[in-house]
């Protein structure tokens, strides 16, 4: 299959929307990462997403809508709190899990009775979804297990020959995937299943309490059911063996010096100096820029042939929690606490 990369003109977006209506898969930009979209209500179209990514069938897809009212097309029950959250954070990087309506086939929800719903804010995404006229199921547009793509070039590397169209909308604004939340039965508390740009503090402006699911910071023991199935997979991983190293720059650099390896790279902050001639990639200077740069940095490490990576641990507050969560998974939960002598 030939893969066309199209600029987001009105004409090209109409062409791409026609592909969707014909049951095809189209990659498109969002404010978080690129998505791999298909008609969420059409099982055969959704199947093509799973095939293109090589994604396990039990990992549910997020359904993207183009206006708040469409929530009722895909959810069977919408508590008041969901409307309040939608009013505050939509369009934007928040995915709300609700009981799914019968319109949504099981293949889309990975066999679950719930569905994750998101109204993205990226103008190209919004126009595209509007032109499609149907809810769009879309996971991140990477091959399963690889870092999410934040540019059309990275989507092309993973999806060339697998899908007919990629819409090139430039670099994604946030660079980490949306915050995924569920709402508890009482309806006034939410649980963060995957941290993102909508932070716990921001959610507290609307709800009484916010719980961070254990799967965000800890490995889910084998045999235990993950609330968000995506959490149980090793994720966002470069090919290299990554270790997350906590501590000051001094402690970090000592750790690097004391633990040399063949094919080692450092993943450090913009202002950090190289350690002892070890090659390095940088990923930003504060939580926002780290979120924006992280996935690109992980892909760069692969390109440069890194076999081992010591990643300097980011701050884990605000959007930093999302950055920390993604590196932790890329590291397969390997953390060391470095101390300087
Ligand atoms: O920002 C984003 O969310 C991007 C863009 C394209 O919108 N999409 C994205 O999709 O990151 P994906 O499929 O790569 O990640 C979706 C995550 C997975 O961890 C999945 O398990 C979880 O959300 N999820 C989706 N539906 C769910 C549900 N009904 N219950 C629990 N977790 C759900
Ligand atoms: Mg993904």
């Amino acid at each position: 299959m030939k893969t066309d990369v199209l600029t987001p003109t009105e004409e090209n977006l109409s062409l791409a929307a026609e592909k969707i209506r014909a049951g095809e898969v189209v990659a498109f930009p969002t404010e978080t990462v690129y998505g791999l979209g298909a008609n969420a209500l059409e099982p055969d179209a959704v199947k093509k997403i799973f095939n293109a990514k090589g994604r396990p069938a039990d990992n549910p897809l997020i359904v993207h809508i183009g206006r708040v009212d469409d929530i009722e097309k895909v959810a069977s029950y919408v508590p008041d709190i969901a409307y309040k959250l939608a009013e505050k954070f939509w369009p934007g990087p928040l995915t709300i899990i609700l009981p799914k309506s019968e319109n949504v086939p099981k293949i889309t929800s990975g066999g679950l009775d719930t569905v994750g719903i998101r109204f993205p804010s990226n103008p190209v995404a919004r126009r595209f979804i509007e032109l499609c006229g149907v809810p769009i199921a879309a996971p991140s547009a990477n091959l399963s297990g690889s870092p999410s793509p934040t540019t059309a070039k990275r989507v092309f590397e993973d999806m060339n020959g697998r899908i007919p169209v990629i819409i090139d909308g430039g670099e994604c604004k946030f660079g980490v995937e949306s915050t995924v939340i569920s709402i508890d039965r009482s309806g006034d508390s939410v649980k963060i299943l995957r941290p993102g740009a909508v932070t716990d503090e921001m959610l507290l402006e609307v709800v009484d309490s916010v719980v961070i699911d254990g799967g965000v910071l800890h490995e889910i023991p084998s045999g235990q059911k993950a609330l968000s199935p995506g959490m149980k997979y090793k994720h966002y991983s470069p090919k290299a063996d990554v270790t997350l190293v906590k501590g000051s720059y001094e402690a970090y650099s000592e750790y690097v010096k004391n633990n040399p390896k063949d094919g080692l790279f450092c993943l450090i902050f913009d202002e950090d100096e190289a350690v002892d001639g070890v090659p390095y990639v940088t990923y930003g200077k504060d939580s926002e820029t780290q979120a924006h740069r992280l996935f690109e940095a992980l892909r760069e490490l692969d390109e440069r042939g890194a076999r081992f990576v010591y990643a300097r641990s980011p701050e884990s507050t605000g959007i930093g929690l999302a950055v920390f969560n993604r590196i932790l998974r890329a590291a397969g939960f390997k953390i060391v606490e470095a101390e300087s002598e």
Side-chain angles (χ1 to χ4, degrees):
M1 184 187 302
K2 184 171 175 298
T3 302
D4 290 322
V5 180
L6 305 178
T7 54
T9 60
E10 181 69 14
E11 198 188 345
N12 285 342
L13 292 180
S14 301
L15 256 165
E18 256 168 55
K19 291 277 183 209
I20 293 286
R21 286 194 297 272
E24 292 298 329
V25 175
V26 170
F28 64 101
T30 82
E31 70 279 17
T32 57
V33 300
Y34 274 74
L36 203 56
N39 182 347
L41 309 183
E42 204 46 72
D44 291 342
V46 172
K47 182 107 211 306
K48 291 181 187 171
I49 298 179
F50 282 91
N51 289 344
K53 272 186 76 93
R55 180 173 176 112
D58 68 350
N59 197 358
L61 307 180
I62 292 171
V63 173
H64 298 67
I65 55 177
R67 19 173 255 172
V68 174
D69 290 350
D70 284 353
I71 197 171
E72 279 154 30
K73 285 191 189 155
V74 289
S76 61
Y77 169 68
V78 186
D80 284 348
I81 189 72
Y83 283 113
K84 283 195 194 132
L85 289 161
E87 193 180 323
K88 177 92 179 170
F89 299 109
W90 281 0
L94 179 70
T95 296
I96 306 175
I97 295 176
L98 293 173
K100 79 170 188 68
S101 81
E102 279 177 14
N103 296 336
V104 178
K106 283 259 175 170
I107 183 173
T108 302
S109 65
L112 299 175
D113 294 327
T114 56
V115 60
I117 307 167
R118 169 160 127 76
F119 174 6
S121 62
N122 176 294
V124 173
R126 288 182 71 169
R127 183 64 185 144
F128 172 59
I129 295 167
E130 196 172 53
L131 288 167
C132 290
V134 290
I136 300 295
S140 50
N142 50 284
L143 288 172
S144 196
S146 292
S148 297
T150 56
T151 62
K153 174 174 166 268
R154 295 306 191 184
V155 177
F156 187 80
E157 285 171 9
D158 279 16
M159 291 297 149
N160 184 20
R162 294 173 172 261
I163 60 172
V165 174
I166 299 168
I167 302 166
D168 185 352
E171 275 183 33
C172 299
K173 179 176 164 194
F174 293 112
V176 287
E177 306 88 342
S178 62
T179 305
V180 177
I181 60 165
S182 62
I183 297 172
D184 84 345
R185 276 174 217 280
S186 66
D188 44 16
S189 145
V190 302
K191 188 178 247 188
I192 297 182
L193 305 184
R194 180 179 71 179
V198 173
T199 64
D200 48 348
E201 256 176 46
M202 291 161 73
L203 290 165
L204 279 173
E205 289 171 31
V206 181
V207 299
D208 291 342
S209 85
V210 177
V211 175
I212 295 177
D213 185 61
V216 168
L217 293 174
H218 304 283
E219 191 161 17
I220 296 165
S222 59
Q224 191 172 315
K225 196 162 156 268
L227 283 181
S228 171
M231 298 279 234
K232 72 181 181 220
Y233 299 106
K234 187 177 173 196
H235 227 116
Y236 318 108
S237 310
K239 296 181 187 85
D241 180 317
V242 180
T243 303
L244 190 53
V245 182
K246 278 187 154 178
S248 64
Y249 175 75
E250 286 66 37
Y252 172 86
S253 56
E254 261 178 55
Y255 180 84
V256 175
K257 285 176 199 160
N258 293 334
N259 295 274
K261 279 186 189 292
D262 271 348
L264 176 66
F265 275 67
C266 290
L267 178 60
I268 49 181
F269 306 155
D270 288 352
E271 70 271 21
D272 290 345
E273 278 172 28
V275 181
D276 251 7
V278 177
Y280 64 94
V281 169
T282 63
Y283 78 110
K285 57 181 189 303
D286 50 37
S287 296
E288 275 74 28
T289 53
Q290 287 171 353
H292 188 75
R293 280 270 308 147
L294 176 66
F295 288 140
E296 187 58 30
L298 293 179
R299 283 179 179 252
E300 209 177 306
L301 286 162
D302 272 349
E303 275 175 352
R304 293 179 59 189
R307 290 179 50 217
F308 294 92
V309 175
Y310 294 152
R312 245 201 102 184
S313 181
E315 291 289 330
S316 54
T317 52
I319 193 176
L321 182 63
V323 180
F324 183 80
N325 167 269
R326 304 310 189 271
I327 303 196
L328 189 61
R329 296 191 130 60
F333 296 91
K334 273 198 303 301
I335 304 194
V336 299
E337 301 267 353
E339 275 162 48
S340 52
E341 276 133 39

